[in-house]
Amino acid sequence: MTTATSHVELRPGAYADSVALLQVSRTLQQLPGVATAQVAMGTPLNVDVLAQMGFDVPAGATPNDMVVAVRLTDDAGPDALAKAHAAMENALATRTESASEEQAPPRTTATALRQAPDNALVLVSVPGANALVEAMDAVEAGRDVMIFSDNMRLDHELALKRAAAERGVLVMGPDCGTSVLGGIGLGFANTTEPGPVALVAASGTGAQQLLCLLDHAGVGVTHALGVGGRDLSAQVRGLSTRAALARLDADDSVELIVLVSKPPADDVADEIREYAAGLGTQVEFAFLGAGRPDLTAACESALGALGRPVPQWPVREPATVRASTGGHLRGLFVGGTLCDEAMLIATAELGPIRSNIPLSAGLELELGAGLTAVGHTMIDFGDDELTAGRAHPMIDPTLRLEHLARTAADPTTCVLLLDVVLGHAAEPDPAALLAPAIAAVSQPVVVSVVGTAADPQGLERQVAALAEAGAQVHLSNAAATRAAVALTLAGGPR
């Protein structure tokens, strides 16, 4: 469908992965005369996003169809659309040619393992519905496996982890976004020095927060074993957590283990504590939950166990201070654990927080085009429902940026709370996109930047850009949340 300034095209049966389409979209967005552009598969979520952007997507679009949407500026030349179309075809063709020049990969994980060294780790990153077959190949071959895929069925996870326990191998995941093995990061991982601490993490961004806080305190981490966000649930009962703890307990270089998790099932947490008490290596617990220490406090406890001093956690004040008015706190997160932690802290001061990952029943947001609700709200844009058919928001910030503009335009929004996660595999320059959006809003903005000085994005450069745009910037997500809550309370009731 084409109007004077917009073009929407449906390509039935055309497919490219979400990261490839993100790069094609960015190529188009940089062209003269193009106001905005999105090339995406026609999942319900992507169709909703395009509708919110003002595009009229033809009825009948399916996840098997590619949708091309381009809007031109008012002063675009008469051939701007043709140039955009040519650039898109070139970008798609370039990626196809590049892929065709590579050596054909093995068709199955089992085939690949026959060509791999005996100690090779298997990393699975396929749609979650297909991950069991590939991961089980690895387990049956006696290999450790990291499953980056999300949306894996619970019964598949249980079958896989029970098989792994029988064979004495470690399953990291599913939905394991972060691991560090011998100082080498896999997935979303920050750059830190090896050291005496090891992490077991049922939380990707929780592990990254601890990695970065420990790095700021001068303490290195040699291993961070992700186990998947459901591992400490009542169903999975810590199958991988036990294996990871045993693996690290046998490593003489590890002086202290920190176990970090989103709120675990209470009885499972008790079982894991009892198991850990029987190990030779001391284990510190960073279990989020009501009445429990936040991640920064857990880090400080770990530093105490090592006999290391607790540093001053850095905060950068904004270039221009904005006064808060009456209204509600609105948190927009890319990290699920950071969102959980913020809700736990804010709820104690502000009362119930509505969210797409609520702390308790009855506070669910109705997901869809709006993602809005009356009152204080916090959204995890990395949740499975918001990443179906899209790259994770730590790679593709489009969805959060769109919602940020709408939330800021809501007169009931008093304060905005955001996170930015740096490190390998994440957006190469998140501040370049987020800072202009922050500068355009009138409310106070508080940001936690999870990163280290050695991360490829440059921690100092990112912090400086966000503060110059008007944000108060913290390294600690807990401290950022408390600052945002204080600003909300200072604005008074609405």
Side-chain angles (χ1 to χ4, degrees):
M1 179 175 296
T2 303
T3 67
T5 59
S6 296
H7 168 83
V8 179
E9 174 187 346
L10 200 61
R11 296 188 170 192
Y15 175 79
D17 67 72
S18 57
V19 174
L21 293 178
L22 170 64
Q23 293 171 344
V24 172
S25 298
R26 288 179 175 172
T27 298
L28 298 186
Q29 289 163 4
Q30 294 170 0
L31 295 176
V34 173
T36 188
Q38 280 283 295
V39 184
M41 300 307 295
T43 63
L45 174 62
N46 286 337
V47 170
D48 277 348
V49 172
L50 288 164
Q52 292 165 31
M53 296 171 69
F55 290 109
D56 188 7
V57 179
T62 76
N64 296 321
D65 306 325
M66 185 183 296
V67 183
V68 178
V70 180
R71 179 175 298 116
L72 304 179
T73 60
D74 292 340
D75 59 352
D79 58 350
L81 183 59
K83 289 181 176 177
H85 195 270
M88 179 189 68
E89 298 292 358
N90 183 60
L92 288 170
T94 298
R95 294 191 62 81
T96 301
E97 290 170 3
S98 175
S100 67
E101 291 170 359
E102 297 174 359
Q103 185 177 359
R107 295 175 65 85
T108 68
T109 301
T111 303
L113 285 171
R114 286 196 286 271
Q115 304 170 15
D118 291 342
N119 62 349
L121 170 82
V122 176
L123 196 159
V124 174
S125 181
V126 298
N130 305 321
L132 174 64
V133 173
E134 307 305 328
M136 192 63 85
D137 271 357
V139 168
E140 291 181 346
R143 312 297 182 98
D144 292 341
V145 57
M146 172 176 169
I147 307 170
F148 191 79
S149 315
D150 59 6
N151 286 300
M152 187 182 197
R153 286 170 38 177
L154 177 60
D155 59 330
H156 286 185
E157 179 177 351
L158 282 167
L160 184 66
K161 290 186 171 179
R162 286 167 179 162
E166 293 174 358
R167 291 163 175 78
V169 299
L170 177 63
V171 173
M172 293 179 279
D175 197 13
C176 179
T178 299
S179 282
V180 178
L181 302 174
I184 305 297
L186 300 173
F188 298 113
N190 301 95
T191 305
T192 65
E193 293 292 328
V197 175
L199 307 180
V200 176
S203 154
T205 49
Q208 290 192 265
Q209 173 76 106
L210 287 174
L211 282 166
C212 297
L213 293 174
L214 288 166
D215 178 82
H216 183 73
V219 174
V221 176
T222 300
H223 305 292
L225 305 181
V227 294
R230 293 187 301 217
D231 197 69
L232 293 177
S233 66
Q235 294 79 23
V236 184
R237 307 200 74 79
L239 284 168
S240 284
T241 296
R242 286 179 172 81
L245 287 170
R247 186 74 61 90
L248 295 173
D249 187 46
D251 186 336
D252 292 338
S253 70
V254 176
E255 298 177 19
L256 178 72
I257 301 170
V258 181
L259 173 53
V260 55
S261 175
K262 301 172 185 178
D266 288 341
D267 57 340
V268 178
D270 291 341
E271 292 172 6
I272 294 299
R273 288 181 188 278
E274 183 178 352
Y275 177 83
L279 301 177
T281 308
Q282 182 176 348
V283 180
E284 290 282 326
F285 295 90
F287 287 161
L288 288 179
R292 294 174 177 152
D294 57 55
L295 296 179
T296 302
C299 177
E300 292 171 353
S301 178
L303 292 171
L306 291 167
R308 303 289 189 96
V310 175
Q312 189 75 30
W313 305 115
V315 53
R316 183 77 59 89
E317 295 296 337
T320 303
V321 176
R322 300 169 183 169
S324 57
T325 57
H328 303 295
L329 174 62
R330 302 280 158 72
L332 310 178
F333 288 85
V334 299
T337 298
L338 302 178
C339 185
D340 270 337
E341 180 181 53
M343 287 193 291
L344 286 163
I345 293 170
T347 296
E349 297 291 336
L350 301 177
I353 308 287
R354 296 179 70 83
S355 175
N356 60 327
I357 55 167
L359 292 176
S360 59
L363 297 176
E364 297 86 351
L365 279 176
E366 183 179 350
L367 296 177
L371 285 177
T372 57
V374 175
H376 307 293
T377 62
M378 293 193 187
I379 298 171
D380 169 24
F381 285 90
D383 186 52
D384 285 359
E385 291 190 59
L386 297 181
T387 56
R390 299 187 63 86
H392 193 279
M394 285 161 58
I395 300 172
D396 178 4
T398 306
L399 199 58
R400 183 167 76 161
L401 288 172
E402 289 286 330
H403 197 74
L404 172 58
R406 290 199 305 277
T407 303
D410 180 347
T412 70
T413 298
C414 174
V415 177
L416 287 156
L417 175 62
L418 311 170
D419 60 344
V420 172
V421 184
L422 308 182
H424 296 282
E427 161 70 29
D429 189 1
L433 296 171
L434 190 55
I438 291 173
V441 310
S442 59
Q443 297 94 342
V445 180
V446 183
V447 181
S448 60
V449 177
V450 177
T452 72
D455 280 335
Q457 296 88 351
L459 176 62
E460 173 57 28
R461 186 169 66 87
Q462 298 295 315
V463 169
L466 295 169
E468 182 61 29
Q472 185 186 90
V473 187
H474 296 254
L475 184 66
S476 159
N477 183 62
T481 302
R482 292 192 174 91
V485 168
L487 286 166
T488 303
L489 293 172
R494 191 176 186 83

